[in-house]
Amino acid sequence: MIILKSFREIELMRSAGRIVAEILEIVRSAIKPGVTTRMLDALAENEAIKRKSLPAFKGYSGYPYSLCCSLNQQVVHGMPTSRELVEGDILSLDFGVVYGNFYGDSAITVPVLPVSDVATRLVKVTEESLQKGIEAAVVGNRLSDISHAVQSHVEKHGFSVVREFVGHGIGKNLHESPQVPNFGEPGRGVKLKAGMVLAIEPMVNEKGHRVKILDDGWTAVTCDDGLSAHFEHTVAITDNGPEILTKL
Ligand code: MF3
Ligand code: CO
């Protein structure tokens, strides 16, 4: 069942989303060679508490950190470590909070400059594919129109879309119905309605789309050692078009 949100509820989700956006921006500015992802995790957690919100991921299904830090070949759910960032890395940061009973969820991939040409293109195409997905999140479209918009953009540029992880409805729960795949034929699935709030989150690989989970039970990495990037926004579908809630 898809839980539609009222105008008032979307207003609360806007507050949660803004906190996520502010904190991701703070963490992004802290990224430079020598910084560890453990430091970024601590920063994100402190900033959440300062804003009277709680990190959404810590303790979720037993995940032990506030931030997911997925480096280079890591796709999603990478855990913060004491490894220092170096020039040439690309780092995906996935962060969420709960505030006033509602969740916000967003991800960005940040290059530790300078990075290779292919890394630059991968990050750019992944962010653009999220934008294409958001543009398809309009009343009257069907769910898979979002998926198709993401996939076409990614494949047009020679990259591949991860299948094992998908976007999701979001609200009083981090994960609600429906699942939002980043691939598929257009015109399938439920009709999009005003009041739906979706976390749209393309995960894009440089080479093949296959991923595997490491022995830590969390970290997803590419099977062929290609790079991977991830962008995510929490988006409300309204009669006036898609509204990105996790934006400054
Ligand atoms: N943005 C991710 C998601 O939507 C974050 C989940 S990580 C977890 O699923 F640790 F909380 F599981
Ligand atoms: Co998500």
Side-chain angles (χ1 to χ4, degrees):
M1 183 203 44
I2 298 175
I3 302 166
L4 297 180
K5 279 80 185 177
S6 66
F7 183 81
R8 172 69 194 139
E9 289 172 323
I10 289 175
E11 214 162 62
L12 290 169
M13 292 195 74
R14 209 174 272 138
S15 305
R18 163 169 280 273
I19 292 172
V20 172
E22 285 173 2
I23 295 174
L24 274 180
E25 195 43 51
I26 289 168
V27 176
R28 180 212 290 274
S29 339
I31 289 178
K32 57 178 183 198
V35 167
T36 71
T37 49
R38 278 290 169 83
M39 293 159 67
L40 300 177
D41 179 67
L43 176 61
E45 180 166 335
N46 288 335
E47 292 296 328
I49 290 162
K50 261 196 223 170
R51 289 166 175 76
K52 305 192 189 321
S53 66
L54 286 174
F57 303 162
K58 197 169 189 166
Y60 186 88
S61 302
Y63 185 76
Y65 297 98
S66 297
L67 199 58
C68 294
C69 295
S70 308
L71 197 58
N72 299 325
Q73 292 80 6
Q74 299 175 350
V75 178
V76 284
H77 304 164
M79 289 196 270
T81 70
S82 55
R83 146 69 156 87
E84 291 182 4
L85 296 174
V86 295
E87 288 180 359
D89 282 340
I90 60 170
L91 177 64
S92 300
L93 299 169
D94 190 347
F95 186 64
V97 301
V98 57
Y99 177 79
N101 282 329
F102 283 95
Y103 283 85
D105 187 7
S106 182
I108 56 176
T109 300
V110 186
V112 184
L113 295 172
V115 301
S116 68
D117 285 352
V118 69
T120 304
R121 278 192 295 115
L122 177 68
V123 170
K124 177 168 177 280
V125 167
T126 308
E127 187 166 21
E128 286 168 356
S129 76
L130 170 58
Q131 198 52 45
K132 300 282 180 190
I134 292 169
E135 283 164 16
V138 295
V139 175
N141 262 1
R142 287 188 185 266
L143 187 64
S144 81
D145 293 324
I146 298 173
S147 318
H148 183 73
V150 171
Q151 183 179 23
S152 331
H153 188 74
V154 167
E155 292 181 353
K156 191 167 81 186
H157 290 86
F159 297 126
S160 69
V161 154
V162 171
R163 276 43 170 181
E164 282 87 347
F165 300 97
V166 296
H168 48 94
I170 179 169
K172 287 184 181 167
N173 305 288
L174 177 60
H175 294 136
E176 296 183 359
S177 193
Q179 293 197 345
V180 187
N182 296 299
F183 59 96
E185 293 298 313
R188 308 279 167 87
V190 294
K191 270 208 168 169
L192 301 180
K193 288 196 183 128
M196 287 182 181
V197 182
L198 303 175
I200 304 174
E201 50 177 318
M203 289 141 272
V204 177
N205 292 351
E206 175 197 355
K207 300 175 187 166
H209 67 75
R210 294 190 49 224
V211 306
K212 63 182 181 194
I213 312 284
L214 298 186
D215 284 338
D216 62 22
W218 281 104
T219 315
V221 300
T222 56
C223 286
D224 57 17
D225 225 33
L227 295 171
S228 190
H230 181 204
F231 280 85
E232 176 177 20
H233 272 309
T234 297
V235 179
I237 298 173
T238 79
D239 286 318
N240 303 316
E243 180 185 343
I244 301 175
L245 303 179
T246 42
K247 203 162 111 174
L248 289 178

